[in-house]
Amino acid sequence: VTVVDVLSPLEQAIATGSLQTLRDVIEPLSASIASRSTADEAYGELATAVVAVIKMGDERLRTWRSVAIGIKECLQDIEALRLGEVPLAKLTNACHKLFRCLHEAQLTSMNLTKSIDESVTGEIVDAIMLWQRNAMNHSNSVHHAIVSKVVRSNALRGFDFPDLDVTLHMVDRDSSNDFFLSRAMALVDKTERPRDLKASLGHLESVL
């Protein structure tokens, strides 16, 4: 057994972004290093290097599990708020936590649809849109497009929940602003990184 024999399947499992796939790979490996003697028996003189690789994989698995639990709990909390009178402070806090989980998933290459279920990104969009409708004066298709782009983005670095708040407020307009909203929608469609949205929309505001 070489370090590559351990590292290769771990890298492949992490590349899938699937919590279940990583768990299926890491759990047998973790059992093989349950003690120093079992690690030495399994990997010989390579034990120290192999153990380090397995522990890194195990840390990634714990992170993904924490993210999955956090997202499920946030969605449950937001759904409970949806059923009654929506207190904005609690809704904002829940969405802030949800966004942190989303951020952590993206930064660690976790695929939410593979790790939780196929509908989870849609549920996250719906949850954030519930907050948006309660936090702002209007709710329009540009708001929804921004939230959808952010939730499904693979480039959230440098873009946090306060940035999302500011970006959504920039398009918080009613149908009497159709021209601005149509230009804003075009910008959202062609802007790849969420962190570029704020600057693009700010420039549009100043031009119009």
Side-chain angles (χ1 to χ4, degrees):
V1 177
T2 67
V3 175
V4 173
D5 293 328
V6 176
L7 185 58
S8 180
L10 265 181
E11 286 182 333
Q12 292 172 16
I14 290 172
T16 68
S18 168
L19 188 157
Q20 290 78 14
T21 300
L22 180 57
R23 180 197 61 206
D24 292 344
V25 170
I26 202 68
E27 286 184 348
L29 292 174
S30 294
S32 72
I33 60 166
S35 68
R36 182 68 200 190
S37 60
T38 57
D40 288 342
E41 183 179 346
Y43 304 113
E45 62 183 15
L46 297 173
T48 300
V50 171
V51 166
V53 170
I54 294 172
K55 285 184 176 179
M56 285 191 294
D58 191 54
E59 179 63 30
R60 180 66 61 92
L61 178 63
R62 287 199 297 270
T63 297
W64 286 1
R65 279 175 170 160
S66 177
V67 168
I69 291 169
I71 287 176
K72 290 176 182 178
E73 288 179 346
C74 287
L75 290 174
Q76 289 171 356
D77 290 344
I78 292 168
E79 185 59 30
L81 291 172
R82 188 195 300 271
L83 298 177
E85 182 179 351
V86 181
L88 182 56
K90 288 185 178 181
L91 184 57
T92 300
N93 187 50
C95 283
H96 203 157
K97 290 180 180 178
L98 180 60
F99 197 86
R100 285 201 299 270
C101 290
L102 187 66
H103 213 279
E104 185 68 18
Q106 192 270 312
L107 290 176
T108 58
S109 303
M110 179 184 183
N111 186 306
L112 296 180
T113 57
K114 290 181 180 179
S115 297
I116 302 178
D117 62 58
E118 292 184 356
S119 66
V120 70
T121 52
E123 293 176 26
I124 294 172
V125 170
D126 289 345
I128 295 176
M129 284 303 298
L130 176 66
W131 162 77
Q132 184 276 320
R133 289 192 296 273
N134 282 272
M136 300 176 196
N137 295 320
H138 310 286
S139 189
N140 55 55
S141 58
V142 185
H143 284 129
H144 192 276
I146 291 171
V147 172
S148 295
K149 178 176 284 284
V150 169
V151 168
R152 294 176 171 88
S153 173
N154 291 319
L156 285 180
R157 188 179 298 276
F159 190 87
D160 297 311
F161 189 73
D163 298 306
L164 176 64
D165 189 0
V166 170
T167 303
L168 291 173
H169 269 97
M170 295 174 80
V171 297
D172 190 25
R173 306 183 185 209
D174 61 20
S175 57
S176 65
N177 292 274
D178 276 350
F179 182 74
F180 173 84
L181 292 174
S182 66
R183 297 301 90 203
M185 180 67 85
L187 280 175
V188 173
D189 287 342
K190 75 176 185 179
T191 302
E192 295 186 4
R193 297 182 303 182
R195 69 172 180 259
D196 295 333
L197 281 172
K198 190 163 59 173
S200 298
L201 292 170
H203 179 68
L204 178 65
E205 274 190 318
S206 64
V207 169
L208 298 181

